[in-house]
Amino acid sequence: MRAGLGQVGVITKATLKLVAAPESVRRFLLVYPDPSHDAGDERLLSADNRFDAVQGAIVAAPSGGLAFRLDAAKNFNGDPPDDNVLLAGLSDDSAQRQPATIEFLRLPQPVRRVRAMLRANGQWFLPAPVAHDIHR
């Protein structure tokens, strides 16, 4: 369902194209010093299709204040993609990058761990000021 400006539309039928699942996912947690750099990279990544999924979030920083993050994932079979190509031109704090390679079928496990952590520390129930999903 979509709604906006007093209008509502309901999807009654959809056709989805199925594709083969990849073997693995190269995933990066990217941390930004401020929202303008985060938003700039979100715009860049949504336009150039170098990742298969990008999700942005603003979360409470361990030291207080806010942290600006992007979680970007690239699906692959065989050899992993070149990190330098995937990360070229991004303005995140490279010292805080958290790269990982995950078997595609194990991908939901990190999501479950993050959800459990956020529930345990109470952040799961706070309003989310920004949540962007770009899936291709």
Side-chain angles (χ1 to χ4, degrees), residues 20-122:
E23 294 171 6
S24 302
V25 175
R26 186 69 173 149
R27 185 173 175 214
F28 299 90
L29 180 59
L30 308 172
V31 180
Y32 292 84
D34 56 63
S36 64
H37 286 92
D38 179 300
D41 279 1
E42 283 190 68
R43 282 190 293 275
L44 173 69
L45 295 176
S46 68
D48 73 8
N49 298 319
R50 72 177 89 174
F51 287 102
D52 296 305
V54 175
Q55 180 175 344
I58 299 174
V59 297
S63 60
L66 299 174
F68 307 92
R69 300 188 326 197
L70 289 181
D71 189 344
K74 178 68 175 173
N75 301 334
F76 69 95
N77 295 312
D79 294 330
D82 184 339
D83 289 357
N84 293 325
V85 171
L86 291 175
L87 301 170
L90 299 183
S91 57
D92 64 304
D93 179 353
S94 60
Q96 293 190 58
R97 283 181 183 156
Q98 297 177 33
T101 298
I102 304 166
E103 290 179 45
F104 183 78
L105 294 178
R106 294 185 183 269
L107 190 58
Q109 291 176 1
V111 174
R112 279 191 288 253
R113 283 194 297 269
V114 169
R115 186 181 309 138
M117 178 198 66
L118 292 175
R119 285 179 180 273
N121 69 20

